[in-house]
Amino acid sequence: MNNLQINTTQNVNLNYIIVSIGERIAAFFIDAFILYLYSLLVNILGDAIGYIYDDVWTQRGLMALIFLPAMFYSLLMHIIFNGRTVGKMLLKMRVVKVDGSPVHWSNYLVRWMLRLVDIWLFVGSIGILTILFSEKRQRLGDAAAGTVVISTKNKTTVSHTILEEVEDTYVPQFTNVTILTDKDIRLIKETFSAAKKSNDFKTLKALREKVDSILQTNSELYDMKYLETVLKDYNYFTQKL
């Protein structure tokens, strides 16, 4: 099983599992089934359009317009859902850059355009062969875009680092957390984790008061929630830089 080591914006190396070709094919067929269901819906709508418009060209034009999103399904899904389609979401995998930098929409565009060669023109044979013989299991589109497909369910834990899991939809509360340093955050996290594990509420309170005195947040959040928010906010801002 291949591993990929990615260096984060905070110079912490994280190891990821590169998904197997079987998992990629399974995700592809899940997405293909969704497109099949969509095509059935388009046919039903086409029948309805036929009752409304007698002109054949109008019918074809509307049908083509309705079917248009399906043609860009893979590209749009990857851009909107940060490197994932429905198939990838269900199988817990994601497209990332090999060097760990954020994936730009142009990278997804390159991958999508080369699907023509990897998948459609040669019935998937080019994509399968390049994945099988590539060190990082990349198809042509991945190699050209500098991307790789990793498993998110087997991602190395980051609990022992200053990193915190931050959801894509997370909204930070304390904008001045960036006055803290990585060393400060590491100390806060280590103290917080130890106090939380041993239910040492006195230490939690003292830690919260110390952090609050530095940040001057005057927050009404209770101690544990306050410290969790500070850690998440710091990671949100530093990972976005």
Side-chain angles (χ1 to χ4, degrees), residues 66-235:
I66 295 172
F67 193 74
L68 191 61
M71 297 178 62
F72 296 92
Y73 166 83
S74 178
L75 176 62
L76 294 175
M77 289 293 291
H78 280 99
I79 292 175
I80 295 171
F81 294 102
N82 193 23
R84 295 172 295 176
T85 61
V86 173
K88 287 185 174 69
M89 290 180 195
L90 293 177
L91 297 182
K92 298 186 183 300
M93 59 181 72
R94 168 178 286 168
V95 175
V96 299
K97 287 292 291 295
V98 174
D99 60 6
S101 61
V103 187
H104 192 262
W105 66 266
S106 59
N107 301 123
Y108 296 130
L109 179 61
V110 170
R111 293 183 80 255
W112 177 76
M113 291 175 64
L114 284 175
R115 284 166 66 90
L116 182 65
V117 178
D118 280 327
I119 300 173
W120 305 119
L121 285 182
F122 301 97
V123 200
S125 58
I126 298 297
I128 291 173
L129 288 174
T130 52
I131 290 173
L132 285 175
F133 292 102
S134 168
E135 181 183 357
K136 295 183 175 67
R137 293 179 181 156
Q138 296 168 294
R139 63 178 178 83
L140 287 180
D142 288 314
T147 59
V148 68
V149 183
I150 63 167
S151 172
T152 55
K153 60 187 175 185
N154 293 320
K155 187 170 62 176
T156 300
T157 180
V158 296
S159 60
H160 61 288
T161 72
I162 64 172
L163 295 177
E164 288 285 320
E165 297 290 351
V166 180
E167 301 84 1
D168 295 336
T169 56
Y170 182 73
V171 179
Q173 296 187 42
F174 309 131
T175 57
N176 62 335
V177 291
T178 52
I179 67 174
L180 299 171
T181 65
D182 283 0
K183 184 178 179 180
D184 294 331
I185 290 297
R186 183 175 290 106
L187 180 60
I188 292 170
K189 182 169 184 179
E190 289 174 355
T191 306
F192 172 69
S193 299
K196 182 180 177 182
K197 186 176 182 180
S198 60
N199 292 321
D200 186 351
F201 300 109
K202 184 177 180 180
T203 299
L204 285 173
K205 181 176 179 60
L207 179 61
R208 182 255 171 78
E209 290 176 350
K210 179 62 177 179
V211 174
D212 194 30
S213 68
I214 297 173
L215 299 180
Q216 295 294 314
T217 54
N218 299 316
S219 172
E220 295 183 357
L221 293 174
Y222 60 88
D223 299 339
M224 191 175 296
K225 183 63 177 177
Y226 175 82
L227 294 169
E228 288 175 345
T229 303
V230 168
L231 291 170
K232 275 197 170 186
D233 286 357
Y234 182 85
N235 277 268

